[in-house]
Amino acid sequence: MGKSIEKSTKGNMENRMYFMDNLRAFIILLVIVFHVAIGYMAPAPEWWYVVDIKSHPVFNLFVMTTDVFIMPILFLLAGYFTMPVLEKQGMSTFLREKFFRIVLPWIAGVLFLAPAITYMIWYSRTSTPPAYFTYLITNFFSAATFNHAHYWFLGDLAWFFVFFAAIYKAFPSLFQRKAEASSPSFVFLVLFGLVTAATFFIANFYFYADEWFSRLYIISFQPTRFFLCACYFALGIHAWRNRWFTEEGYMPHFSYWMRHLLLQC
């Protein structure tokens, strides 16, 4: 029995995609630096929580560049590992785990941490900010000012998992993994780029690029980027089905990703 456990552990380690772990860790670190840099932009956005009196245009370049790809990559990774986790755990365990790992931290963050984060706007910009609990009762939960702060990602991801589970239950055959690996065609990549760009620019006709929608309380998102993130989540599932990024599958060279990033910018 000990040998079988050792063999199973060894197999899991061999099959683990460590470069995906490294990518996820790098992007999360970049997200932290990104949010720090916003406060030093010249000028920083008025809606940002804390704005430093010192600023430099180099932070503008950094923020505008990284803002293009950091969240799409996180949603793509989430989509890519959705099906293998579901296949391993089953639907009931999958949803239960997502509830404890995604939904509960999201709710706790919105109720207990987001108010303190958004209170920094009042505290750092006014000479006589309201008392915290006064702000919490009279301002934060009003429809005009309520938002999920940084926890919007968990909320949107939770809703993506809910819709995915509903579609999977109705059409499980759509998510079966292919026996052989395949690579995306040039036409597919171009069309995907055009469609995702179109979702942003069309929404931008009706909403500001940085506008947030939180009026329903149970979801918070940027209308100009919501469908963009949804597309990358779906792309992650599609990539898994076609065995991209596996040893025998689609492995684009680093130079391709850099060219794609420059085109998006």
Side-chain angles (χ1 to χ4, degrees), residues 95-105:
L95 292 176
R96 183 167 61 249
E97 181 184 327
K98 295 306 178 187
F99 177 78
F100 285 105
R101 296 186 62 181
I102 302 294
V103 176
L104 284 185

Side-chain angles (χ1 to χ4, degrees), residues 18-239:
Y18 288 102
F19 65 94
M20 288 288 201
D21 292 334
N22 295 335
L23 176 61
R24 194 199 315 260
F26 172 72
I27 293 298
I28 291 175
L29 178 62
L30 201 60
V31 167
I32 296 173
V33 178
F34 166 82
H35 285 96
V36 172
I38 294 177
Y40 295 92
M41 294 175 67
E46 294 181 359
W47 49 266
W48 191 240
Y49 307 110
V50 177
V51 177
D52 200 283
I53 57 174
K54 296 181 180 180
S55 61
H56 197 282
V58 70
F59 292 104
N60 296 44
L61 179 62
F62 174 80
V63 168
M64 289 187 291
T65 301
T66 54
D67 194 29
V68 173
F69 62 87
I70 52 175
M71 298 315 300
I73 288 179
L74 287 178
F75 279 106
L76 184 145
L77 290 174
Y80 191 90
F81 292 106
T82 295
M83 275 305 302
V85 173
L86 175 61
E87 288 188 339
K88 180 180 179 181
Q89 298 178 339
M91 180 61 76
S92 59
T93 303
F94 172 82
L95 292 176
R96 183 167 61 249
E97 181 184 327
K98 295 306 178 187
F99 177 78
F100 285 105
R101 296 186 62 181
I102 302 294
V103 176
L104 284 185
W106 165 43
I107 295 174
V110 170
L111 293 180
F112 300 109
L113 297 179
I117 294 173
T118 55
Y119 180 67
M120 288 296 101
I121 298 176
W122 297 73
Y123 191 80
S124 65
R125 286 171 172 74
T126 60
S127 57
T128 55
Y132 178 72
F133 287 103
T134 301
Y135 162 78
L136 183 64
I137 296 172
T138 61
N139 294 96
F140 179 74
F141 288 104
S142 66
T145 59
F146 177 78
N147 68 86
H148 293 191
H150 302 298
Y151 302 96
W152 70 269
F153 172 71
L154 293 178
D156 287 8
L157 194 58
W159 283 112
F160 286 170
F161 284 133
V162 168
F163 285 114
F164 159 78
I167 297 173
Y168 177 82
K169 186 175 182 180
F171 309 100
S173 60
L174 293 177
F175 301 94
Q176 292 181 356
R177 200 173 200 189
K178 294 183 178 179
E180 297 183 359
S182 62
S183 298
S185 65
F186 176 76
V187 173
F188 173 85
L189 294 176
V190 171
L191 287 177
F192 183 82
L194 291 174
V195 169
T196 52
T199 62
F200 175 86
F201 288 112
I202 292 175
N204 200 210
F205 286 128
Y206 304 97
F207 304 94
Y208 294 114
D210 293 325
E211 185 175 346
W212 286 88
F213 181 89
S214 306
R215 296 170 192 167
L216 298 179
Y217 288 97
I218 59 173
I219 188 170
S220 179
F221 62 91
Q222 288 179 292
T224 55
R225 305 184 188 209
F226 180 79
F227 292 104
L228 174 72
C229 294
C231 287
Y232 273 90
F233 181 81
L235 181 65
I237 298 175
H238 179 74

